[in-house]
Amino acid sequence: MYVMTTATAPLPAPAPVWARRAAHAVALCAVPSGLWRIAMASGVHVGYSDQVLRDVFDIPGWGIAYVVGLSVLTELAALFPLLLVSDRWRPLPPRILAPLAWTASGVLVLVAVWQLVVALTVESRTYMSSGTAQTVWGIAFAPLFAIPALMITVTWSYAKRHRTRGQA
């Protein structure tokens, strides 16, 4: 009796070019906001007064670690879709990775809606010192809103490729 293992299982079809591009776009969409946060932590004037940086964000202080850490975690999370299009590195089997990717996609949609509500309704905009600073902030954070749609398309492609493999 021959038992098929992951080592002997046929490999799924490679990810389509559009899915690879979407996965890379997710990683790139997180870069502008991360650079903006790192600039803020470094003392570059990003539109907040020194008093707001001290009182609201605790910069200088622990706020620097928080803001830089948030940037690093955001970028690491934005690299996750690359696992879904990788032909070489598979840390988790598809039966675990596919539901994880769908869950991440759903969470990203909820976070995007929540961030949009926060950005448009609460005091976060009132801390900015000028309209130019708000515009720069908006440009830096706008690409983050593309991530949920990109993640859903990459996840759909991954699930489709691995579901087809399981049915064959």
Side-chain angles (χ1 to χ4, degrees), residues 33 36-37 48 57 66 70 74 107-125 137-138 140-148:
S33 62
W36 185 89
R37 284 189 206 103
Y48 293 126
F57 297 105
Y66 171 75
L70 183 60
T74 301
V107 168
L108 285 169
V109 169
L110 292 175
V111 168
V113 169
W114 173 65
Q115 286 297 312
L116 190 59
V117 168
V118 168
L120 297 176
T121 60
V122 297
E123 61 192 31
S124 61
R125 294 186 324 150
W137 175 83
F141 282 83
L144 292 178
F145 291 105
I147 290 177

Side-chain angles (χ1 to χ4, degrees), residues 9 19 24 41 45 51-52 71 77 96 108 116 131 133 165-166:
H24 285 84
H45 179 70
Q51 181 180 356
V52 168
S71 296
I96 294 171
L108 285 169
L116 190 59
R165 178 182 138 195

Side-chain angles (χ1 to χ4, degrees), residues 51-89:
Q51 181 180 356
V52 168
L53 287 174
R54 269 190 320 277
D55 297 345
V56 177
F57 297 105
D58 197 22
I59 295 175
W62 284 103
I64 293 173
Y66 171 75
V67 169
V68 172
L70 183 60
S71 296
V72 170
L73 285 174
T74 301
E75 192 58 44
L76 286 174
L79 295 174
F80 174 70
L82 294 176
L83 290 176
L84 303 176
V85 297
S86 174
D87 294 329
R88 296 184 184 155
W89 192 59

Side-chain angles (χ1 to χ4, degrees), residues 9 13 21 26 30 40 94 96 126 139 145 161:
R21 287 183 180 155
V26 169
M40 181 173 87
I96 294 171
T126 62
I139 290 169
F145 291 105
R161 286 184 298 118

Side-chain angles (χ1 to χ4, degrees), residues 93-110:
R95 71 179 183 280
I96 294 171
L97 195 55
L100 182 64
W102 282 118
T103 302
S105 298
V107 168
L108 285 169
V109 169
L110 292 175

Side-chain angles (χ1 to χ4, degrees), residues 20 25 32 42 50 77 94 133 146 154:
R20 290 182 185 277
S42 301
D50 289 339
V154 173

